[in-house]
């Protein structure tokens, strides 16, 4: 079992060595990640974790899907004006809105089926299937001469965007050693930030260079192709293989990810949570009531509160706020990107030290405070110059605190708390809730801002952040340093 002592006999090889050579051999073993303590009975106690270096390349390949998610989310930000002029729908705000938001429809569809795909063909093939519509859709967007072609291309890209993130969360959770699982999970958020920043930087020449927006779409084919090809050489999830009744293959993949020394204990631990029902089909009703309802409910509410906190409204409205402060849109995007990336790096550094629950609580508290600053900035009692500084500062603080907890933690925490049998389909259900709430927040934000004003709307976002603090405190369990089997047994004890 990872993280718990494992007793094995001391190697007889050491016993046959002279004392000085034996000391050097043992020291070399200790440096090779076999940190052991000798017991009185001549046995050795293993006290260290598997090497993180073995699983790192597989995690990095998986995060390409998150990079693509961020890239396609932001690729139309700087290029939309050029696209609308070249394709003949300039000034048509409805058409422009569809180009931006139709990805959400595709993403909802992709996330809805992500669980069935990941369980049916495996995590590796699911990644490759997510890359395929992004390659086809981006190619169609880059070559189209009409609005209809652009919409179809963006919809296809959206299906890949919806499929990739839940599979990435599943895969990273299932192949990572428990002591670095939080750090590796943060890579997903960092990759998304890098993809978003890359799309904004690459799109800068679009306003001056005719047809540059087509280049922006063509460039996305490079990471998409890399994801599809590199996954051929990555390990399959041992948990999926074991669930499919292929323990020998699961053992081989564990050896590839953890090293030979930790393979037997990993397989033994997976076997502990096998209740003999893993091969049965998981029905939707199992997720809506019964013993699985609680964890699915927690996951759905977490994703809903993540979106109701106002993060997408802040991203959408940031350019207007920065322009009011005299900051050009390019510089505004860079500032938001830096705040987002900085918060994600903080989450990466602290995830396995402070834990998921602490980061969530601190993040939502910081977001509530940042929204309170926004409410203050919208007050008539604050001078206009001071209001602008408060608004810009509150916005950057909000993005930073979101990225340090509320952004990356749900995508990592949920695959940890979902039992292996329902993990993929439960993740798909929760991600679907995420996209539905995301869509309605984006759809209604400007209308509500016009009808209610920024002070009331930002106050509502503050209340949602405070609600999230109470919900997390009462419902979220800490998973830091625990194996997936320990978490499952704790949440769903055997009858």
């Amino acid at each position: 079992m990872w993280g718990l002592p494992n007793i094995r006999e001391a190697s007889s090889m050491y016993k046959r060595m002279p004392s000085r050579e034996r000391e050097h051999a043992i020291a070399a073993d200790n440096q090779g990640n076999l940190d052991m303590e000798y017991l009185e009975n001549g046995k050795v106690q293993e006290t260290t974790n598997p090497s993180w270096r073995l699983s790192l390349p597989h995690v990095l390949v998986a995060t390409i899907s998150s990079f693509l998610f961020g890239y396609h989310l932001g690729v139309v930000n700087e290029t939309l004006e050029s696209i609308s002029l070249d394709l003949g729908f300039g000034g048509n705000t409805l058409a422009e809105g569809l180009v931006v938001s139709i990805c959400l429809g595709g993403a909802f569809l992709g996330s809805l089926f992500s669980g069935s795909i990941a369980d049916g063909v495996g995590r590796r093939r699911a990644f490759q299937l997510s890359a395929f519509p992004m390659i086809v859709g981006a190619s169609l967007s880059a070559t189209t001469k009409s609005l209809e072609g652009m919409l179809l291309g963006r919809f296809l890209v959206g299906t890949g965007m919806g499929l990739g993130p839940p599979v990435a969360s599943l895969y990273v959770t299932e192949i990572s050693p428990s002591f670095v699982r939080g750090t590796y999970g943060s890579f997903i958020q960092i990759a998304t930030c890098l993809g978003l920043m890359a799309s904004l930087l690459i799109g800068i020449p679009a306003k001056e260079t005719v047809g540059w927006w087509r280049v922006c779409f063509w460039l996305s084919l490079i990471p998409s192709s890399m994801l599809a090809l590199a996954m051929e050489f990555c390990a399959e999830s041992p948990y999926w293989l074991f669930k499919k009744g292929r323990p020998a293959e699961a053992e081989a993949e564990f050896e590839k990810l953890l090293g030979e020394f930790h393979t037997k204990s990993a397989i033994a631990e997976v076997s502990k949570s096998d209740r003999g029902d893993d091969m049965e089909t998981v029905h939707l009703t199992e997720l809506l009531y019964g013993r699985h309802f609680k964890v699915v409910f927690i996951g759905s509410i977490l994703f809903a509160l993540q979106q109701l906190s106002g993060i997408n409204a802040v991203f959408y409205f940031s350019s207007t706020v920065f322009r009011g402060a005299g900051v050009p849109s390019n510089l505004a995007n860079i500032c938001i990107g830096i705040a987002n990336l900085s918060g994600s790096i903080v989450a990466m550094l602290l995830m396995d030290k402070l834990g998921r629950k602490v980061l969530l609580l601190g993040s939502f508290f910081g977001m509530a405070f940042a929204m309170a600053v926004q409410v203050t900035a919208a007050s008539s009692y604050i001078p206009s110059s001071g209001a602008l500084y408060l608004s810009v500062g509150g916005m950057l603080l909000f993005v930073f605190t979101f990225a340090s907890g509320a952004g990356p933690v749900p995508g990592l925490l949920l695959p940890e708390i979902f039992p292996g049998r329902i993990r993929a389909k439960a993740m798909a259900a929760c991600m679907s809730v995420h996209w539905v709430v995301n869509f309605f927040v984006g759809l209604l934000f400007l209308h509500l801002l016009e009808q209610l004003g920024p002070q009331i709307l930002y106050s509502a976002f503050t209340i949602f952040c405070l609600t999230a603090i109470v919900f997390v405190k009462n419902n979220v369990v800490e998973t830091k340093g625990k194996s997936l089997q320990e978490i499952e047994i704790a949440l769903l004890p055997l009858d």
Side-chain angles (χ1 to χ4, degrees):
M1 183 182 294
W2 307 340
L4 293 178
N6 183 36
I7 306 299
R8 66 180 177 88
E9 295 292 338
S11 172
S12 60
M13 172 183 69
Y14 291 146
K15 296 177 182 176
R16 294 192 298 269
M17 291 182 177
S19 60
R20 184 175 298 276
E21 292 181 22
R22 183 167 65 247
E23 289 173 6
H24 287 304
I26 294 172
D29 242 5
N30 288 345
Q31 291 175 358
N33 281 331
L34 297 180
D35 186 12
M36 296 176 284
E37 296 176 4
Y38 281 82
L39 305 178
E40 291 181 0
N41 60 4
K43 294 182 179 180
V44 177
Q45 179 170 337
E46 177 201 341
T47 59
T48 57
N49 296 298
S51 173
W52 53 267
R53 294 179 181 86
L54 294 175
S55 53
L56 180 60
H58 307 270
V59 170
L60 293 178
V61 172
T63 56
I64 295 175
S65 67
S66 301
F67 177 90
L68 284 162
F69 176 82
Y71 186 90
H72 283 295
L73 209 59
V75 73
V76 294
N77 279 26
E78 293 292 328
T79 59
L80 184 58
E81 184 180 344
S82 301
I83 292 171
S84 61
L85 290 174
D86 284 0
L87 299 184
F89 58 92
N92 185 339
T93 55
L94 177 61
E96 291 177 353
L98 278 173
V99 170
V100 173
S101 62
I102 197 168
C103 266
L104 298 180
F108 172 75
L109 190 66
S111 67
L112 198 60
F113 291 99
S114 62
S116 299
I117 293 171
D119 274 346
V121 301
R123 308 335 187 201
R124 290 170 59 239
R125 293 289 177 255
F127 276 119
Q128 292 173 321
L129 286 175
S130 75
F132 179 72
M134 286 194 276
I135 291 172
V136 174
S139 301
L140 182 58
S141 298
T143 56
T144 187
K145 306 285 186 186
S146 66
L147 171 62
E148 292 76 17
M150 175 59 69
L151 293 177
L152 177 58
R154 292 284 290 165
F155 182 81
L156 288 173
V157 164
T159 60
M161 288 170 60
L163 174 58
V167 175
S169 295
L170 286 172
Y171 185 74
V172 171
T173 297
E174 291 176 343
I175 70 167
S176 301
S178 57
F179 74 105
V180 291
R181 197 167 56 233
T183 302
Y184 283 174
S186 301
F187 287 1
I188 294 174
Q189 177 76 7
I190 291 174
T192 303
C193 294
L194 291 175
L196 188 58
M197 293 175 71
S199 68
L200 295 175
L201 291 173
I202 291 170
I204 289 175
K207 293 178 181 177
E208 288 79 30
T209 306
V210 177
W212 181 260
W213 62 269
R214 297 184 186 274
V215 176
C216 297
F217 284 108
W218 280 125
L219 287 174
S220 71
L221 269 61
I222 298 173
S224 298
S225 302
M226 286 174 58
L227 175 64
L229 293 173
M231 265 298 151
E232 278 297 314
F233 305 97
C234 287
E236 181 54 89
S237 164
Y239 292 89
W240 179 77
L241 290 169
F242 195 87
K243 179 180 174 180
K244 289 294 183 181
R246 296 152 64 178
E249 293 175 59
E251 186 172 347
E253 299 295 34
F254 266 132
E255 185 172 339
K256 189 186 299 184
L257 294 166
L258 306 176
E260 182 179 358
F261 189 76
H262 295 270
T263 299
K264 295 296 183 184
S265 58
I267 283 290
E269 189 164 303
V270 174
S271 302
K272 288 181 183 178
S273 61
D274 178 23
R275 298 182 171 86
D277 58 356
D278 278 0
M279 296 302 292
E280 296 177 13
T281 303
V282 179
H283 299 288
L284 181 62
T285 52
E286 293 184 65
L287 307 181
L288 299 180
Y289 59 84
R291 65 176 184 168
H292 295 312
F293 170 76
K294 182 179 178 181
V295 287
V296 177
F297 174 77
I298 291 172
S300 300
I301 296 299
L302 263 184
F303 269 130
L305 289 170
Q306 181 197 64
Q307 297 303 306
L308 291 171
S309 69
I311 183 60
N312 285 319
V314 166
F315 277 127
Y316 189 91
F317 200 51
S318 61
S319 296
T320 304
V321 172
F322 277 97
R323 275 199 302 270
V327 179
S329 61
N330 290 343
L331 183 58
N333 288 333
I334 292 172
C335 290
I336 291 291
I338 291 173
N340 200 3
L341 182 60
S342 301
S344 301
I345 293 173
V346 168
M348 177 190 70
L349 296 174
L350 298 180
M351 190 81 77
D352 286 311
K353 293 180 180 179
L354 297 181
R356 287 57 153 157
K357 188 170 183 175
V358 173
L359 281 183
L360 273 179
L361 290 171
S363 176
F364 279 117
F365 179 81
M367 292 159 67
F369 177 78
M371 273 298 172
V373 171
Q374 296 280 56
V375 172
T376 305
S379 171
S380 58
Y381 299 104
I382 303 297
S384 58
S385 57
L388 284 174
Y389 286 116
L390 282 175
S391 190
V392 170
M395 188 163 290
L396 292 175
L397 177 63
F398 187 90
V399 172
F400 175 84
T401 51
F402 173 85
S404 65
V409 171
L412 168 69
L413 179 70
L414 300 192
E416 289 182 320
I417 67 173
F418 291 149
R421 180 170 177 266
I422 67 163
R423 187 173 292 135
K425 289 185 173 65
M427 193 67 189
C430 293
M431 282 298 294
S432 299
V433 172
H434 166 276
W435 285 113
V436 169
V437 179
N438 188 342
F439 173 78
F440 281 107
V441 170
L443 179 68
L444 299 175
F445 172 68
L446 289 179
H447 177 72
L448 291 175
L449 184 66
E450 182 181 326
Q451 295 295 316
L452 303 177
Q455 200 165 14
I456 294 177
L457 188 56
Y458 287 148
S459 295
F461 288 144
T462 305
I463 292 171
F464 279 121
C465 291
L466 294 174
T467 302
I469 294 173
V470 176
F471 181 81
V472 169
K473 186 173 179 60
N474 293 331
N475 295 281
V476 172
V477 296
E478 184 53 70
T479 59
K480 178 188 70 170
K482 297 178 182 178
S483 72
L484 297 180
Q485 285 67 44
E486 289 174 314
I487 298 167
E488 179 172 345
I489 291 170
L491 290 175
L492 293 171
L494 289 168
D495 298 327

